[in-house]
Amino acid sequence: MFKSFYPSEMTDSAYDIDYKMFYDNGIRGVLFDIDNTLVPHGAPATDEAIGLFKKIHDIGLDTCLISNNKEPRVKPFADLVSSKYICKANKPSVKKYKEAMQLMNTDENSTLFVGDQLFTDVYGANRSGIYSVLTKPINPKEEIQIVLKRRLEWVVLRFYKMYTKNKNK
C-alpha cells in the first residue's frame, strides 16, 4: 500500500553515506535535497557541507541540488558547494528529477538521491526510478506543514520497518 513511498535505504545522515561504494557500483551522480538533509532549514552551506561535496567530487561523482525552494535560497548554497542545482522543482514531480539527471549526464541507473522527506524527496525519486536514501532530519524545528507531513511519515515508516524486517528474514 505504501511501497511507493519506501526509500531504497535509510541512514542517519547524508554525511554517513559511503559515496565511494556507490561510485564503485556504477553511480555517477547524486541528487540532494538541501533543507534538513544537508543543513538545518534555511541555513547557509556549512564547512561540513562544503567538505562533503569536495569529497564527493573528488571521488568522481557529479552533484545536483534539487529543491522546492526558490533561486535566492538554492543558488548561493549551490555556489558554495560547487554543485549544479534545480530550484522550484515541484517535488515529487518527476520532471525536475529527469532534468537534474540530464544536467549531470546520468540516468536512473547511475543516479542516487538523498533527502529527508518521504512524500516529496523519496516519492519523487522512486517515481523517477532513482535509488533513494532517506536521512533523518537534521533539525526537529520545522514549519507547520512539514510537521504535519512528518506525522504521516511515521505511519509509512512503521510499515516500511515491518516490510524490511520481514524481507530480511
Side-chain angles (χ1 to χ4, degrees):
M1 176 173 158
F2 294 123
K3 285 185 182 178
S4 58
F5 298 106
Y6 291 174
S8 305
E9 69 178 77
M10 289 177 61
T11 189
D12 286 341
S13 169
Y15 299 96
D16 295 339
I17 296 170
D18 184 352
Y19 295 98
K20 175 77 165 81
M21 181 271 304
F22 279 105
Y23 180 85
D24 291 344
N25 285 294
I27 296 297
R28 293 298 177 259
V30 185
L31 299 176
F32 284 98
D33 176 52
I34 300 171
D35 289 321
N36 253 350
T37 300
L38 296 168
V39 294
H41 189 79
T46 60
D47 289 342
E48 184 180 31
I50 293 165
L52 174 66
F53 277 73
K54 181 176 181 346
K55 174 183 153 189
I56 289 169
H57 293 146
D58 287 349
I59 290 169
L61 292 163
D62 201 353
T63 58
C64 185
L65 302 170
I66 180 168
S67 175
N68 286 345
N69 278 304
K70 296 177 182 169
E71 192 162 23
R73 164 68 178 132
V74 182
K75 184 182 184 325
F77 195 100
D79 289 346
L80 284 171
V81 298
S82 302
S83 181
K84 296 169 174 72
Y85 70 93
I86 303 269
C87 55
K88 296 193 279 184
N90 199 27
K91 293 182 288 183
S93 172
V94 171
K95 182 180 179 183
K96 298 296 183 173
Y97 286 83
K98 301 283 185 189
E99 188 177 313
M101 286 187 280
Q102 285 180 332
L103 284 174
M104 296 189 302
N105 205 22
T106 61
D107 61 21
E108 299 85 4
N109 298 314
S110 60
T111 305
L112 171 69
F113 179 85
V114 181
D116 70 299
Q117 292 189 52
L118 283 180
F119 299 133
T120 52
D121 298 332
V122 169
Y123 184 52
N126 290 348
R127 291 177 64 217
S128 302
I130 301 168
Y131 191 92
S132 59
V133 178
L134 178 69
T135 65
K136 290 182 180 174
I138 288 177
N139 189 338
K141 290 189 176 196
E142 298 179 296
E143 297 171 349
I144 188 65
Q145 72 271 16
I146 296 174
V147 170
L148 295 173
K149 282 196 284 186
R150 294 280 186 214
R151 307 249 169 170
L152 295 172
E153 284 182 356
W154 293 338
V155 174
V156 175
L157 287 173
R158 189 155 204 233
F159 281 96
Y160 169 76
K161 289 174 183 171
M162 289 188 308
Y163 169 77
T164 56
K165 184 178 177 182
N166 290 333
K167 193 171 114 175
N168 293 329
K169 282 187 177 181

